[in-house]
């Protein structure tokens, strides 16, 4: 009786274990089948996972539950892997579409802002960009491009005209720089601005590039003005030397000295507009003084 009791206990344990194994196998096979069905619903290739699940079913039917569980688990992993890759691809696509839409908005906005620098406005363009930004925020990326398409041709057409003008004007600025260099001017800063202007053209900032032409021309003119002023200042020094020499010879140079003093004061204060006039008057006055001095010597 005791032996029979032990045997009955073992049989009961075996039945429990078998039931548990059967339930576990059924559960993992069910999960694998659901994962495969989900992957199929997404249009994914589930041939490999389905083939593995067939093996799991065969092992289950022959009561080889451990093998059934193993194959079912692999089939589930294959299907879940397909789903995960699909979801990741969707995320990447979503990010790409969002970035493309944002780039399109930024590009048109940049062109509109550039046109505004030249007081050029495309009617309704800012409103369109505002609506496109709202569509972007809502994740409606196709709508973004549909909105922008309403103004893109006009904006690009005007911008292309500015682009051509910018290229021509910057080319002229480059020629001005080369001519200045040929005249012996040091125009490194102007060359740097020219490089910046070309960068602005590449970045579609055409109005800004056009503005750099005026900056370059002002730099070249300033270089010429500085050279002329340096020449004038040198003339004033020479005139001071000549005046002092005539004064030592007894010439009356009081009025000339007053003119020279005023000229030197203007030079110190940066008032260069009248220096050329001063220099000519002083030269004329000194020439008169020399003539009188020579006449006086001849009379004596």
């Amino acid at each position: 009786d005791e032996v029979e009791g032990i045997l009955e206990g073992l049989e009961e344990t075996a039945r429990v274990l078998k039931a548990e194994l059967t339930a576990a196998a059924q559960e993992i096979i069910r999960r694998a089948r659901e994962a495969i069905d989900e992957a199929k619903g997404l249009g994914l290739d589930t041939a490999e996972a389905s083939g593995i699940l067939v093996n799991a079913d065969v092992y289950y039917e022959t009561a080889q539950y451990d093998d059934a569980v193993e194959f079912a688990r692999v089939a589930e992993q294959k299907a879940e892997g397909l789903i995960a890759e699909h979801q990741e691809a969707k995320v990447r696509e979503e990010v790409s579409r969002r970035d493309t839409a944002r780039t399109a908005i930024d590009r048109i906005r940049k062109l509109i802002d550039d046109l505004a620098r030249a007081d050029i406005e495309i009617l309704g363009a800012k409103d369109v960009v505002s609506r496109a930004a709202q569509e972007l925020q809502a994740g409606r990326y196709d709508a973004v491009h549909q909105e922008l398409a309403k103004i893109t041709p006009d904006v690009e057409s005007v911008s292309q005209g500015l682009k051509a003008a910018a290229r021509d004007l910057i080319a002229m600025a480059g020629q001005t720089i080369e001519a200045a260099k040929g005249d012996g001017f040091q125009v490194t800063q102007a060359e740097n601005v020219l490089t910046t202007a070309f960068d602005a053209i590449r970045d579609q900032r055409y109005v800004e590039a056009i503005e750099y032409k005026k900056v370059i021309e002002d730099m070249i003119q300033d270089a010429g003005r500085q050279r002329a002023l340096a020449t004038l200042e040198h003339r004033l020094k020479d005139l001071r030397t000549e005046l002092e020499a005539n004064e030592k010879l007894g010439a009356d140079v009081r009025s000339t000295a007053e003119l020279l003093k005023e000229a030197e004061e203007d030079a110190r204060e940066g008032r260069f507009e009248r220096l050329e006039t001063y220099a000519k008057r002083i030269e004329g006055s000194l020439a008169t003084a020399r003539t009188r001095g020579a006449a006086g010597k001849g009379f004596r």
Side-chain angles (χ1 to χ4, degrees):
D1 291 341
E2 184 177 350
V3 172
E4 288 180 359
I6 292 173
L7 290 174
E8 288 178 359
L10 291 174
E11 288 176 357
E12 179 61 24
T13 300
R15 282 194 297 271
V16 171
L17 289 174
K18 182 179 179 180
E20 291 177 350
L21 284 171
T22 302
Q26 288 175 340
E27 174 62 17
I28 188 65
I29 289 173
R30 182 191 65 77
R31 293 202 326 247
R33 186 165 282 111
E34 286 183 353
I36 290 172
D37 289 343
E38 182 181 353
K40 282 183 179 178
L42 295 172
L44 305 177
D45 183 2
T46 59
E48 182 180 6
S50 296
I52 296 171
L53 185 60
V54 168
N55 290 331
D57 288 333
V58 170
Y59 281 118
Y60 179 81
E61 294 298 329
T62 58
Q64 300 179 63
Y65 301 120
D66 288 342
D67 289 334
V69 167
E70 184 64 28
F71 274 89
R73 183 173 289 112
V74 173
E76 182 185 32
Q77 290 172 348
K78 292 286 185 181
E80 288 179 342
L82 291 172
I83 294 169
E85 289 178 5
H86 176 74
Q87 291 173 339
E88 290 171 0
K90 284 188 66 177
V91 170
R92 289 194 298 271
E93 180 185 2
E94 180 79 1
V95 170
S96 176
R97 292 180 65 205
R98 183 187 65 213
D99 290 346
T100 299
R102 180 182 291 112
T103 299
I105 291 174
D106 290 344
R107 176 177 175 274
I108 292 299
R109 182 180 285 127
K110 180 187 291 184
L111 292 177
I112 290 173
D113 290 345
D114 193 48
L115 295 179
R117 293 178 64 134
D119 294 326
I120 299 173
E121 182 177 355
I122 304 299
L123 187 63
K126 291 183 178 179
D127 291 337
V128 168
V129 171
S130 178
R131 291 197 298 271
Q134 292 172 0
E135 299 291 3
L136 174 66
Q137 188 68 27
R140 295 188 289 268
Y141 306 125
D142 290 339
V144 170
H145 298 292
Q146 290 169 5
E147 285 291 341
L148 294 180
K150 298 174 184 178
I151 59 169
T152 297
D154 290 340
V155 172
E156 288 184 339
S157 176
V158 177
S159 294
Q160 285 301 311
L162 285 175
K163 179 180 180 180
R167 283 180 169 175
D168 290 344
L169 292 171
I170 293 306
M172 292 170 57
Q175 294 171 359
T176 301
I177 288 175
E178 291 304 315
K181 289 167 66 177
D183 290 336
F185 289 99
Q186 295 294 324
V187 289
T188 302
Q189 286 186 328
E191 290 177 305
N192 292 337
V193 173
L194 183 66
T195 298
T196 303
F198 282 123
D199 289 341
I201 291 176
R202 280 192 292 270
D203 196 35
Q204 297 184 322
R205 291 177 284 118
Y206 306 127
V207 176
E208 182 177 331
I210 291 172
E211 291 171 347
Y212 283 130
K213 175 182 181 289
K214 179 66 166 57
V215 174
I216 291 170
E217 289 176 342
D218 287 346
M219 285 181 168
I220 300 300
Q221 290 175 0
D222 186 64
R225 189 161 48 248
Q226 292 300 324
R227 175 183 284 184
L229 292 174
T231 301
L232 276 173
E233 288 176 345
H234 184 71
R235 283 173 65 187
L236 291 179
K237 290 180 181 178
D238 289 344
L239 291 173
R240 167 63 65 183
T241 300
E242 185 175 350
L243 183 144
E244 291 173 352
N246 283 326
E247 190 175 25
K248 289 179 181 179
L249 293 174
D252 183 2
V253 293
R254 285 174 297 177
S255 60
T256 307
E258 188 61 31
L259 279 174
L260 183 56
K261 181 180 178 181
E262 292 178 10
E264 290 171 338
E265 179 65 21
D266 276 10
R268 280 193 298 272
E269 296 296 327
R271 299 188 299 269
F272 303 116
E273 297 80 4
R274 299 183 298 174
L275 285 185
E276 179 65 30
T277 300
Y278 274 128
K280 289 181 178 180
R281 290 176 62 188
I282 294 167
E283 287 171 345
S285 181
L286 288 174
T288 301
R290 284 196 299 272
T291 301
R292 289 174 179 170
K297 289 180 181 180
F299 178 78
R300 287 194 298 269

